[in-house]
Amino acid sequence: MAAHYLWIKAFHVIAVIAWYAGLFYIFRLYVYHVQKRDEPAVTATLEVMERRLLRGIMMPAMIVSLALGTTMLVLQPELLRMPWMHMKLGAIVFLLGYHGFASHTRKRFLAKDYFLSETACRWINEVPTVLLFFIVIGVIVRKPM
């Protein structure tokens, strides 16, 4: 494996970790947001935290993750013939949907439309963990190429 591929892979993993940090935390913030919806000073602080998390961490990390992942697939297109890669790419589609839903939720909460309960936010917060199991197990526990 060429050295430049390993550098790309290393930075891909770093970007994924940063993206996942945000994915793990955003709906936890929404739990607090729903809990404190009648306290304007607290919700104002949470809105700033949510915006900074989504725009400052999650979005850039997602873009870098996708760009570097795509680069690795271009450099090693044979990976696309592997069943585990199909599972990983399917899980990534769900992660992108989760990320989009997190952005949608923020917009609704900004409009004071609390369409999700605290309990729903707690359950939704577990989605990235389930997807992480599929992704990591698929990538690590696989047939050798």
Side-chain angles (χ1 to χ4, degrees), residues 41-132:
V42 176
T43 57
T45 299
L46 289 167
E47 288 169 0
V48 170
M49 292 171 69
E50 293 158 4
R51 178 180 47 85
R52 288 180 178 168
L53 182 61
L54 277 160
R55 292 186 183 166
I57 296 172
M58 291 172 64
M59 185 63 74
M62 178 193 71
I63 291 167
V64 172
S65 296
L66 294 173
L68 294 176
T70 301
T71 301
M72 288 189 300
L73 290 175
V74 168
L75 292 174
Q76 289 196 343
E78 63 273 8
L79 291 172
L80 290 171
R81 292 193 299 267
M82 307 293 174
W84 64 267
M85 181 57 73
H86 294 214
M87 184 181 69
K88 178 183 176 182
L89 293 173
I92 291 167
V93 168
F94 280 104
L95 276 181
L96 292 169
Y98 181 89
H99 185 124
F101 185 66
S103 294
H104 172 76
T105 300
R106 179 178 174 271
K107 290 175 186 167
R108 301 247 330 240
F109 282 12
L110 283 172
K112 308 301 181 215
D113 177 9
Y114 297 100
F115 71 106
L116 294 173
S117 68
E118 177 185 335
T119 302
C121 290
R122 287 180 192 279
W123 279 102
I124 294 167
N125 193 55
E126 301 307 320
V127 170
T129 303
V130 173
L131 293 171
L132 184 65

Side-chain angles (χ1 to χ4, degrees), residues 22-39:
L23 293 170
F24 282 144
Y25 193 49
I26 191 66
F27 272 91
R28 172 53 48 189
L29 286 176
Y30 294 157
V31 167
Y32 302 139
H33 199 136
V34 173
Q35 285 176 340
K36 303 297 183 181
R37 65 179 160 220
D38 296 325
E39 299 178 36

